Amino acid sequence: MKITNVHATDDYKLLIDFEEGNQVRFNMQRMVETIPYLRLRNLEVFKDVKFEDKAVCWDAPDGKPEVMPLRMTVDNILFALR
C-alpha cells in the first residue's frame, strides 16, 4: 500500500490517502502525549508532516539529522487502527 498524500488537522488527526483511492483518518491525540511523540504536541511541528511511499514522518524541529527520525509506517498505522 503506497501513500499518495497526508494532511494533518488542527485536532491531531492525519488524513492519509493511498494510491488505490482509500483514505484513513488516524487520530494521534493520545499518542502526542506519549514519550516517542511528545514534540508533536506543538501543532506547528505536527502539521509539518511529510510522507514517503510507505511511511509518514516529521523532520527534526531544528533541521539537524536525527539518530532515530520520527516516522510511522503504513503497517504501524494499520495495526494501531485495529
Side-chain angles (χ1 to χ4, degrees):
M1 212 180 256
K2 185 176 177 181
I3 296 173
T4 58
N5 194 25
V6 64
H7 173 74
T9 67
D10 289 337
D11 57 352
Y12 297 99
K13 292 184 178 89
L14 295 176
L15 304 175
I16 305 167
D17 296 324
F18 295 95
E19 65 184 339
E20 295 159 5
N22 297 318
Q23 185 180 69
V24 169
R25 180 181 300 259
F26 187 63
N27 187 344
M28 292 190 64
Q29 288 173 325
R30 289 186 179 162
M31 290 179 76
V32 299
E33 299 300 327
T34 63
I35 290 173
Y37 303 99
L38 281 178
R39 77 169 187 227
L40 298 181
R41 286 190 298 181
N42 178 330
L43 193 54
E44 287 182 32
V45 174
F46 179 75
K47 292 183 84 173
D48 193 28
V49 65
K50 297 176 179 28
F51 67 94
E52 301 167 351
D53 286 348
K54 296 189 177 211
V56 294
C57 50
W58 292 265
D59 291 334
D62 58 8
K64 294 181 181 176
E66 296 180 281
V67 174
M68 294 187 68
L70 189 52
R71 66 191 305 267
M72 295 178 65
T73 66
V74 170
D75 292 337
N76 298 134
I77 293 166
L78 295 176
F79 182 77
L81 290 172
R82 295 167 123 218

